[in-house]
Amino acid sequence: MLTLISLPPALGEPSNSPFCVKAMILLEMSGLDWQPRFLRIPEGPYGKLPVLETPQGVVPDSALIQTWLEAQGADVFPGFDGAARGMAHAVMRLAEDSLRLQLVHDRWLDARVWPQFFPHVFKDMPDGLEAKVQESQRQGMTWQGIARYSEEDRCTLAEMDLDALVAVLGEGPWLFGARPSAADASVLPVLSMIDRLPGETALRRALRARQSLMDYVARGRETLYAPLNDRIYVSG
């Protein structure tokens, strides 16, 4: 039995971290037996989650978990040739290293979202933690650059990413054809969490204005989230 150490569920998501949800979906795709264990404070070799406990030791980071699962025989890119796999990798990086930053910004720094987001994520935490963690996130996102943009300019950048996903998805049920792949495991949680932002932001409006992506999110929740929710309920 593998154990995935993850941040806990929040706001209707199997975890409040898109990387943790990605790892969960990859584990389901692998067919291996696994169970979740939830922590509110990240830990592990790199001080972050997810971390997969295996008979050979712990595997940190969702990308490294993907590599480990593939080494065990998991086919998370079904039918992909080298070019398709390269394209999928690029799309995954678009979601994780660009669009996810927009989600993080709105969660932590947008005044319409943060007051609703904090109580879900930091239940039973010490007094005074809220201001400390928010300021830490503000400093990090200012250093990275996303917090320096106006909302209008941030939305323009987000729409470029969203339009790229619309083009890749096309008429297909999944990003790269008739079967879900690791690309969907990466992209779906980011889009789903944007849709479930507990406040009306330009980012959420931009996603909801793209019906093909909203249909994709609904399909992903029904198909890829359902088995995760079953495991979370059983483990709880």
Side-chain angles (χ1 to χ4, degrees):
M1 172 74 77
L2 303 171
T3 298
L4 184 72
I5 307 173
S6 167
L7 293 170
L11 298 171
E13 296 292 311
S15 167
N16 65 52
S17 161
F19 293 115
C20 291
V21 179
K22 171 190 171 185
M24 292 177 184
I25 295 172
L26 291 173
L27 281 162
E28 284 297 313
M29 288 180 175
S30 76
L32 299 174
D33 197 15
W34 68 280
Q35 62 185 357
R37 179 159 68 88
F38 296 112
L39 296 177
R40 290 200 175 275
I41 302 297
E43 62 177 42
Y46 299 128
K48 63 178 187 175
L49 297 175
V51 171
L52 183 65
E53 293 181 341
T54 80
Q56 294 78 36
V58 300
V59 183
D61 190 89
S62 64
L64 298 177
I65 290 170
Q66 174 189 311
T67 299
W68 186 87
L69 291 172
E70 290 186 278
Q72 312 311 303
D75 184 8
V76 296
F77 293 101
F80 284 38
D81 60 15
R85 179 154 181 161
M87 179 65 73
H89 179 82
V91 168
M92 293 166 75
R93 288 294 175 263
L94 177 152
E96 296 176 359
D97 295 341
S98 182
L99 198 53
R100 179 188 60 86
L101 293 177
Q102 302 270 8
L103 167 67
V104 172
H105 175 277
D106 281 9
R107 277 180 162 185
W108 292 86
L109 300 185
D110 194 294
R112 295 161 294 191
V113 175
W114 172 250
Q116 310 302 319
F117 178 69
F118 180 86
H120 286 279
V121 178
F122 292 96
K123 293 177 181 176
D124 305 319
M125 291 296 173
D127 291 341
L129 180 66
E130 179 175 357
K132 181 177 180 180
V133 297
Q134 189 179 33
E135 182 56 29
S136 175
Q137 289 290 334
R138 187 185 306 279
Q139 291 177 6
M141 283 184 271
T142 300
W143 177 84
Q144 188 278 334
I146 191 69
R148 304 183 189 193
Y149 292 100
S150 66
E151 181 174 52
E152 180 181 2
D153 286 344
R154 277 196 310 275
C155 189
T156 296
L157 296 174
E159 287 181 328
M160 294 169 67
D161 290 343
L162 294 171
D163 286 341
L165 293 176
V166 168
V168 171
L169 180 62
E171 300 297 323
W174 305 105
L175 286 168
F176 290 92
R179 297 170 60 189
S181 70
D184 300 289
S186 177
V187 172
L188 172 64
V190 174
L191 295 182
S192 185
M193 292 180 194
I194 290 172
D195 177 53
R196 283 176 166 153
L197 281 167
E200 181 64 22
T201 71
L203 175 63
R204 194 177 75 170
R205 286 194 301 271
L207 170 61
R208 291 182 174 182
R210 288 158 172 80
Q211 190 59 48
S212 64
L213 293 184
M214 292 304 298
D215 292 343
Y216 169 79
V217 168
R219 190 159 49 247
R221 288 172 178 165
E222 181 178 0
T223 304
L224 301 180
Y225 275 16
L228 309 185
N229 293 331
D230 289 343
R231 289 187 186 270
I232 290 168
Y233 175 78
V234 170
S235 70

